[in-house]
Amino acid sequence: MKSRLKELRARDGYNQTQLAKLAKVSRQTISLIEREEYMPSLLIAVRIARIFNEPVEEIFHFEEEEF
């Protein structure tokens, strides 16, 4: 799964720690999502989407072979 998390974080001026606190996850979770080593739960994905005021599907993208 691809994500625009790092791009959006930079756009809005958040570091990983700040975003993690807002999303109620660890900084390590944000790092893992950005490195595409962790797929967030729906709850975490929705929290992140709300922080950036973006639809979930605009932040997280599945590759066709993942279906």
Side-chain angles (χ1 to χ4, degrees), residues 1-5 33-36 38-40 56-63 65-66:
M1 178 177 65
K2 304 285 184 191
S3 87
R4 294 178 51 224
L5 191 54
I33 294 169
E34 288 184 354
R35 294 192 324 253
E36 300 173 9
Y38 176 75
M39 186 181 304
V56 171
E57 60 271 17
E58 290 296 321
I59 300 174
F60 301 100
H61 305 273
F62 287 101
E63 298 294 316
E65 58 273 4
E66 291 179 285

Side-chain angles (χ1 to χ4, degrees), residues 4-64:
R4 294 178 51 224
L5 191 54
K6 191 171 186 176
E7 169 196 338
L8 294 171
R9 195 169 54 75
R11 178 194 77 185
D12 290 6
Y14 294 122
N15 63 35
Q16 288 183 342
T17 302
Q18 292 167 326
L19 179 57
K21 285 182 182 179
L22 291 171
K24 301 178 184 172
V25 298
S26 69
R27 184 205 56 79
Q28 291 83 356
T29 297
I30 298 299
S31 178
L32 288 168
I33 294 169
E34 288 184 354
R35 294 192 324 253
E36 300 173 9
E37 294 178 15
Y38 176 75
M39 186 181 304
S41 68
L42 183 56
L43 178 61
I44 294 171
V46 169
R47 284 182 190 155
I48 290 170
R50 287 183 176 181
I51 291 165
F52 293 115
N53 197 31
E54 297 271 351
V56 171
E57 60 271 17
E58 290 296 321
I59 300 174
F60 301 100
H61 305 273
F62 287 101
E63 298 294 316
E64 187 62 34

